[in-house]
Amino acid sequence: MAREIDGYLRSRFLPHIWCPGCGHGIILNAVLRAIARLDLDNDDVCVVSGIGCASRAPGYIDFNTVHTTHGRAIAFATGIKIAKPDLHVIVLTGDGDASAIGGNHLIHAARRNMGITVVCMNNSIYGMTSGQYSPMTPSGRYATTAPYGNIERNFDLCELVRACGANYVARATTAHARQLSTYIEHAIETPGFAFVEAPTQCPTYFGRKNKMGGPVEMIEWFKKNSVTMAAAAKLDPAELAGKIVIGELYRGNAPEYTELYAKVMERAKEAAGK
Amino acid sequence: MPDKCNTGVRLLQGNESCAEAALLAGVRFFAGYPITPSTEIAEILSERLPQVGGKFIQMEDEIASMAAIVGASLAGLKVMTATSGPGFSLKQENIGFASFTEVPCVVVNVQRTGPSTGLPTSPAQGDLQQARWGTHGDHPIVALYPSSVSETFDLTVKAVSISERLRVPVILLMDEVIAHMRERVVIPCASDVVAENRPRPQMPPAEYLPYLADPDGVPPMADFGSGYRWHVTGLYHDETGFPTSSPAKVDYLIRRLHAKVESRVKEITFTASEFIDDAKTAVVACGFTARSARCAVRVARERGIKAGIFQPKTIWPFPDALIEDIASRVDRIIVPEMNMGQLVREVQRASNGKCEVVGYSRVDGEPIAPEEILARIEGV
């Protein structure tokens, strides 16, 4: 019997500060439902964020929570996880936070296979600073700092962390809230580094700048432009261009960092005792 | 216990002394990024920490190292990082976070020349002001500055204690010369090292307000995962830990942070002096330069000159009152330092015009020799 998610909310701080139509609430809901299905106690979860719209999420949820400096959430989470390996450490981060200023920490946490879960709330834009382009803004899209259209290419963050050695990689948009929650649940259960990318709508900045309509139209856009892994396998690259591939993209079973370090401690104690 | 093997009279480098002291003071997590001349501290702790149940990680950069120690401190461990010059600059962002969120941590900065990459293994004392003012915004800091391998041991233990007791980041400023010189140091037994712990909440979790300060200005700190749930943010926050923009609460928080350090200036100020009581010429010097100054002052005394030396071991908060007292009794203060005048301006400020204050800078990557200071004492 899964818990009610109300017990995980700091309801006195609601309503939240996110804009009307923002998808971050859908993702936060998916996170809490995953934690509820896993029946985790509030004290056993630690949620860490950096700076930006997504990074305000920890304030609303009743765990051990840290709202850190821009881009550094994963590095803070690394220290927490090493100090207390039994804690479920979850990083809630935005695309700018995770892939621009925090890109180095992302790839190294994946490489170490640090046992944390990173949920990247990817709205393809810097929302908190009002609409500048991010490393996840697709080419050709508009932003306040890309008034002639973005000439940079965006990351495939899932491919990136998979290449770095993550043990679990999945993607689902806010139009796929149930799958998203299931993937987050599996991510939390995975020993080792787990990454879930959640493309989400920012009607206020990304949607408006790119004439995509309101939140309903943007979610419809996600539905139309998402393909499952099975469907994607049948498409040629031209057909796949611009599509969002959703699903559990990768599962590995490389040893988790803090488990390896526990063995280092055993070896060190033996060596010191001799 | 592994610490047994290092107890006793040892011939150690300053970096080794710092690492051993950290272990005995209870440091159980170190995150760092390699940079000369601080690197031995990381190398030693990578070997020694897991022996005593502690943990070490080499992070991807200096910023991450600072973040990781703050995270581990939130989870209840005594923590340290060590770096040099350029690395210290990178750590400033998260030193500011630790200051504002009152997370205990010790940051060792074995100084090297600068700006920028400078002379990577040459000594300089150019980070005194960065230790105080390196981050944006207003926050207090505590910085200690040893002049020998033995003092490095003592001040490392004190750094851990002050950091824990006051919930402030403490900077241990070191000189490259001391980091790499070997000297006699007596390593005490673990049971003889008294390092304090952070105040922990006594009330039940439901009543815990993470930033409600005790009467001494320091709020008790619960470990993550211990049943007390709290929120930590680099935004201005009230006693609940959650963001506030109330002018009254914003004002209260920043003043409390300053007051908790300033109200303890006496108990966290450590100094050394020699021949200062009847001196007409005082030398004020820190770190390695204090050793040359001590030598110079002794020779001056042999030559009948009434010289004395005052060495602040606590460089921040600056010992204003002690300096003013000296200034009111001497004719002249000489401030030799391996930078363009970062210490002398503090001495001038604290002296309040009560005597002449003259600086002497050496910035060529070489330490200041006793003869150079003696020449200035003799009025050359």
Side-chain angles (χ1 to χ4, degrees):
Chain A
M1 181 67 192
R3 296 185 185 211
E4 295 294 325
I5 66 167
D6 294 16
Y8 296 135
L9 285 168
R10 290 168 173 151
S11 48
R12 66 190 182 282
F13 295 112
L14 298 175
H16 56 68
I17 63 160
W18 292 317
C19 301
C22 171
H24 287 0
I26 297 170
I27 301 169
L28 186 59
N29 188 322
V31 170
L32 295 184
R33 287 182 188 281
I35 294 171
R37 279 196 302 280
L38 292 167
D39 197 26
L40 301 182
D41 191 84
N42 301 57
D43 289 323
D44 297 333
V45 177
C46 178
V47 178
V48 188
S49 72
I51 295 291
C53 300
S55 296
R56 299 304 287 266
Y60 304 123
I61 49 181
D62 194 14
F63 304 110
N64 306 280
T65 50
V66 202
H67 178 216
T68 70
T69 45
H70 190 29
R72 316 299 173 203
I74 292 172
F76 279 84
T78 293
I80 294 166
K81 182 68 182 179
I82 295 174
K84 285 255 168 80
D86 291 340
L87 277 178
H88 295 280
V89 181
I90 301 169
V91 173
L92 299 182
T93 180
D95 47 307
D97 204 50
S99 70
I101 188 166
N104 203 28
H105 312 309
L106 177 69
I107 64 176
H108 287 280
R111 176 183 61 80
R112 292 186 185 104
N113 209 19
M114 188 61 63
I116 60 178
T117 295
V118 175
V119 178
C120 179
M121 299 152 90
N122 169 20
N123 59 10
S124 306
I125 200 94
Y126 285 89
M128 190 70 88
T129 45
S130 66
Q132 299 75 28
Y133 72 94
S134 97
M136 296 305 291
T137 304
S139 302
R141 296 291 193 164
Y142 293 90
T144 58
T145 48
Y148 306 108
N150 182 23
I151 57 169
E152 297 183 18
R153 294 175 295 174
N154 58 319
F155 275 121
D156 184 328
L157 286 178
C158 290
E159 286 292 323
L160 177 71
V161 295
R162 178 181 171 173
C164 293
N167 255 3
Y168 181 86
V169 183
R171 184 192 285 124
T173 78
T174 47
H176 312 87
R178 281 176 177 276
Q179 291 101 310
L180 179 61
S181 189
T182 303
Y183 300 163
I184 294 168
E185 181 185 346
H186 295 167
I188 296 169
E189 283 181 311
T190 300
F193 189 81
F195 182 81
V196 180
E197 182 190 345
T200 171
Q201 71 278 10
C202 172
T204 303
Y205 293 111
F206 190 79
R208 185 163 53 87
K209 274 277 166 195
N210 289 286
K211 297 185 168 49
M212 293 180 76
V216 174
E217 290 78 12
M218 291 185 79
I219 289 176
E220 287 294 333
W221 188 92
F222 279 143
K223 278 187 184 165
K224 279 185 203 143
N225 287 280
S226 298
V227 292
T228 61
M229 292 167 68
K234 293 174 189 160
L235 297 176
D236 63 46
E239 291 172 309
L240 200 54
K243 293 281 192 290
I244 301 168
V245 180
I246 60 168
E248 296 191 293
L249 305 175
Y250 181 72
R251 277 176 185 266
N253 57 3
E256 192 270 332
Y257 179 93
T258 60
E259 289 170 15
L260 288 174
Y261 200 84
K263 290 175 186 163
V264 167
M265 292 165 76
E266 284 171 24
R267 286 206 296 276
K269 280 176 187 166
E270 274 173 33
K274 278 176 188 166
Chain B
M1 275 291 287
D3 63 83
K4 269 186 193 162
C5 50
N6 290 316
T7 297
V9 179
R10 302 282 151 191
L11 183 67
L12 295 183
Q13 290 186 336
N15 281 344
E16 293 171 331
S17 180
C18 176
E20 292 297 334
L23 289 169
L24 287 175
V27 168
R28 289 297 176 267
F29 182 71
F30 180 100
Y33 186 82
I35 182 166
T36 307
S38 74
T39 314
E40 291 88 352
I41 297 173
E43 288 173 343
I44 293 163
L45 290 175
S46 70
E47 182 181 353
R48 298 273 284 128
L49 271 168
Q51 295 174 351
V52 298
K55 291 153 185 182
F56 167 93
I57 188 169
Q58 182 169 306
M59 292 297 285
E60 55 272 16
D61 61 35
E62 298 282 3
I63 300 169
S65 306
M66 191 64 217
I69 66 164
V70 173
S73 186
L74 285 168
L77 300 185
K78 287 182 177 175
V79 300
M80 175 189 268
T81 186
T83 188
S84 295
F88 192 52
S89 303
L90 288 170
K91 291 194 190 299
Q92 293 294 345
E93 175 193 43
N94 288 331
I95 292 174
F97 182 87
S99 301
F100 200 34
T101 55
E102 301 178 74
V103 177
C105 53
V106 174
V107 180
V108 182
N109 174 13
V110 183
Q111 296 167 90
R112 61 190 233 182
T113 64
S116 193
T117 318
L119 295 167
T121 56
S122 294
Q125 299 182 310
D127 300 347
L128 270 68
Q129 295 293 342
Q130 192 190 184
R132 177 66 192 89
W133 304 107
T135 70
H136 61 281
D138 286 304
H139 64 81
I141 203 84
V142 177
L144 308 181
Y145 201 166
S147 73
S148 70
V149 173
S150 185
E151 273 181 24
T152 299
F153 187 94
D154 296 341
L155 292 183
T156 302
V157 173
K158 285 188 163 73
V160 174
S161 281
I162 293 169
S163 175
E164 291 282 322
R165 179 155 46 85
L166 298 189
R167 293 185 58 185
V168 290
V170 175
I171 314 295
L172 186 75
L173 275 180
M174 286 177 64
D175 286 332
E176 187 277 340
V177 194
I178 290 159
H180 285 151
M181 74 191 298
R182 289 189 181 277
E183 279 189 304
R184 180 180 186 274
V185 54
V186 181
I187 307 282
C189 297
S191 55
D192 291 338
V193 175
V194 180
E196 297 191 44
N197 298 311
R198 63 194 67 172
R200 288 194 160 86
Q202 305 300 315
M203 68 290 284
E207 292 167 25
Y208 179 53
L209 288 170
Y211 288 98
L212 180 64
D214 284 345
D216 68 353
V218 184
M221 182 173 174
D223 302 350
F224 275 10
S226 67
Y228 290 78
R229 292 192 300 279
W230 54 299
H231 183 58
V232 182
T233 178
L235 293 165
Y236 270 91
H237 43 275
D238 62 17
E239 70 276 5
T240 67
F242 291 98
T244 180
S245 53
S246 148
K249 289 178 176 178
V250 166
D251 181 85
Y252 168 78
L253 175 56
I254 201 69
R255 290 182 192 280
R256 176 174 67 76
L257 294 183
H258 280 81
K260 77 175 179 179
V261 173
E262 283 161 12
S263 66
R264 291 175 171 82
V265 165
K266 280 189 181 167
E267 66 184 86
I268 62 175
T269 296
F270 310 107
T271 64
S273 58
E274 202 169 310
F275 305 118
I276 202 73
D277 291 343
D278 66 339
K280 291 292 167 202
T281 297
V283 182
V284 174
C286 287
F288 183 80
T289 308
R291 301 164 70 108
S292 293
R294 189 173 300 119
C295 179
V297 163
R298 285 176 186 170
V299 174
R301 283 277 167 173
E302 285 167 13
R303 295 180 185 176
I305 300 166
K306 287 199 166 177
I309 175 185
F310 177 77
Q311 177 206 347
K313 297 181 187 177
T314 302
I315 193 81
W316 302 113
F318 197 70
D320 287 8
L322 297 174
I323 296 284
E324 186 173 6
D325 176 55
I326 292 167
S328 66
R329 292 186 285 110
V330 301
D331 298 331
R332 194 164 60 119
I333 296 178
I334 299 167
V335 186
E337 52 186 326
M338 288 188 272
N339 61 56
M340 289 298 284
Q342 297 191 21
L343 179 59
V344 69
R345 63 185 289 155
E346 295 305 319
V347 176
Q348 279 165 341
R349 181 183 56 74
S351 298
N352 251 332
K354 294 192 171 151
C355 76
E356 182 192 5
V357 178
V358 292
Y360 171 61
S361 293
R362 181 152 191 181
V363 286
D364 60 355
E366 295 292 325
I368 296 174
E371 306 83 63
E372 297 169 64
I373 299 170
L374 183 62
R376 273 134 196 102
I377 292 172
E378 290 181 325
V380 176

